[in-house]
Amino acid sequence: MENAIRDWRGRPYRPGPVPADRTRMFRLALAAMAAISPLQYGFAALLTGQDGGLTLLTVWIACQAAGALPALHLVRRRRLGVRACLAAGAALSGLGLATAALAVPAVAPVAGAAVAGVSPPAGGDPAALLSAGGLLALIGYAVLGGLGAGLVYGVCGEVVSSWYPERPAARVGLITGAFGYGAVPLLLWAGIAPGTTPVAFLACAALATAVIATAARRLRLPPPLWWPGDVDPRTHALDAARLRTSPEAVKQFGLAQALRTRTLPALALMLVCAGAVSVFDVIVVAGTGAWGAVALLVALNGAGRSAAMRAAEQFGRRRVLAAVFGSLALGQILLAVAVQNAHEGAGAGPLLWLGALAAGLGGGAFYPLLASLVRELFGTERATEIHAVVYSAKALAGVLAAGLALTALTAPGGALLAAAALAALPALATPRLRIPGLPATIPL
């Protein structure tokens, strides 16, 4: 810690020059995150209406959520290089997308039309995953593709937050937004030429491999404790306006200490509820066949993340997070009415688009808000690892999303109302989150 300066809380910093390619590294990380988006949102919209599709998506989400934690642990301790990690992510993500393309004709559609109010076609094979094509999709897309996306997601977030320590939440929110809207070109392509979906996935596979491999060559971590030399860390730590909306944690929590608090499980439960609804919405709206609404939903899922982070800097993270969950719940009610109207022959109409608008604004913004809230509640030193534990709860969200989608086959309105309740729970709980380390007698 020689030559390090300390702020009023005793945290050390080593100010240094800002590298000329810091902006380029940010842009490459953003492009890499956009490149892996079709693995989740593209697959959810296009292929979960096929035998085994929900199972594949569930396994992919579990592997993606689980793959980020060990990678972050090794990268932060400099035991695994950023280049090696992203090179593996490029190969595995490209393989996952290529396998998804090859798996398209291996299964028969069964689910998408049911959500739109049409009986599913006969002839689906319940043992699709046991076929050669099904096993290829399970291993290539769900397992290896999920692990590759987890590597890219975790490492890109770590690199960007390390190079922008003065505004880590806002910058990470921008790149995770790309993970949301990066699938929009694929969805528009599939909507215009649905018969070329395999070709679209193959094109995404080639693009993802090239983009992530390029990022692997350029991205790197800063020196330990690095801080940009053009920003005084002691003045930044005392910024009254920032502290009003983003108060500092009581202390710097370690991972083991954070796990012993009640706040960390509460954050994980919020992510499970909202994450399940977010994925479920893509499946439901895609089932209506309105590809414009699907593209709107996914685009807002990404763009809403950066907008929410900017709002959080003005109004506070917990207020904005509660509003985001409320928007997600409102979207489920609007979609439920739209789907019910479609069943009665009246057509989904504007309510479908309004539901996609509200659900899109709330369906992705909670991810960066929860990540920044981890920094606010547990401190910055181990925030990445603590958030990785919270993010790993996304594996349970995938299982819950699949359950909602299966329920929607027979009762789409009931499934959407259940999703509204799931989104409303964290909206009500967010204002009551308690800062760990404060006595229980201190008001919230």
Side-chain angles (χ1 to χ4, degrees):
M1 299 257 182
E2 295 85 358
N3 302 322
I5 62 175
R6 296 178 181 273
D7 63 14
W8 63 286
R9 286 183 177 271
R11 289 170 298 194
Y13 306 86
R14 288 178 177 168
V18 177
D21 62 342
R22 182 171 77 154
T23 301
R24 180 186 299 177
M25 285 195 288
F26 168 77
R27 291 173 179 170
L28 285 172
L30 185 144
M33 294 286 271
I36 62 173
S37 177
L39 281 163
Q40 174 167 308
Y41 294 103
F43 191 93
L46 299 175
L47 299 181
T48 50
Q50 303 183 1
D51 283 337
L54 284 174
T55 302
L56 291 174
L57 181 63
T58 301
V59 175
W60 185 91
I61 290 174
C63 291
Q64 187 258 340
L69 181 58
L72 279 175
H73 184 79
L74 294 173
V75 168
R76 281 184 64 86
R77 284 162 175 72
R78 316 280 170 153
R79 296 175 183 174
L80 181 65
V82 170
R83 175 173 294 187
C85 204
L86 285 180
L92 294 175
S93 298
L95 175 63
L97 286 165
T99 307
L102 297 175
V104 172
V107 286
V110 294
V115 180
V118 182
S119 299
D125 181 7
L129 286 179
L130 299 180
S131 66
L135 289 175
L136 178 64
L138 179 64
I139 297 172
Y141 164 75
V143 178
L144 298 181
L147 291 174
L151 291 175
V152 175
Y153 192 100
V155 173
C156 286
E158 174 66 12
V159 169
V160 169
S161 65
S162 298
W163 280 115
Y164 290 88
E166 74 278 23
R167 291 188 69 193
R171 288 290 175 165
V172 172
L174 286 172
I175 66 167
T176 59
F179 179 63
Y181 56 69
V184 171
L186 172 65
L187 297 177
L188 293 177
W189 183 345
I192 296 170
T196 62
T197 299
V199 178
F201 271 101
L202 286 175
C204 289
L207 183 63
T209 303
V211 169
I212 300 170
T214 303
R217 295 181 57 189
R218 300 286 185 178
L219 297 186
R220 64 187 185 277
L221 289 175
L225 304 180
W226 179 85
W227 185 269
D230 55 354
V231 178
D232 184 358
R234 291 167 294 194
T235 302
H236 178 80
L238 288 170
D239 185 355
R242 183 183 64 84
L243 290 174
R244 276 195 299 270
T245 58
S246 304
E248 298 282 354
V250 173
K251 66 175 184 177
Q252 299 295 315
F253 283 78
L255 180 57
Q257 293 174 312
L259 288 170
R260 289 194 292 268
T261 67
R262 296 182 179 180
T263 305
L264 185 61
L267 295 176
L269 184 59
M270 290 177 180
L271 190 142
V272 169
C273 294
V277 175
S278 177
V279 174
F280 171 63
D281 284 341
V282 177
I283 299 171
V284 168
V285 178
T288 66
W291 290 105
V294 180
L296 175 67
L297 173 70
V298 174
L300 291 176
N301 186 293
R305 304 185 191 208
S306 57
M309 294 309 300
R310 292 183 180 181
E313 292 178 350
Q314 296 293 324
F315 305 108
R317 294 189 178 103
R318 274 177 278 190
R319 289 180 180 176
V320 175
L321 183 59
V324 162
F325 287 140
S327 177
L328 185 60
L330 174 62
Q332 309 315 299
I333 297 173
L334 293 173
L335 289 175
V337 177
V339 170
Q340 184 62 34
N341 289 342
H343 272 281
E344 295 174 355
L351 284 177
L352 175 65
W353 290 82
L354 290 174
L357 175 66
L361 289 174
F366 63 89
Y367 282 113
L369 285 169
L370 286 174
S372 62
L373 200 56
V374 166
R375 294 178 178 273
E376 180 179 311
L377 297 174
F378 298 104
T380 59
E381 289 183 5
R382 304 292 295 277
T384 305
E385 293 180 15
I386 296 172
H387 174 250
V389 173
V390 175
Y391 189 78
S392 65
K394 185 181 176 183
L396 295 177
V399 177
L400 189 54
L404 288 171
L406 290 174
T407 304
L409 292 177
T410 55
L416 284 163
L417 291 178
L422 283 175
L425 284 175
L428 296 174
T430 298
R432 301 194 60 80
L433 279 175
R434 180 168 293 279
I435 299 176
L438 288 181
T441 54
I442 295 181
L444 294 175

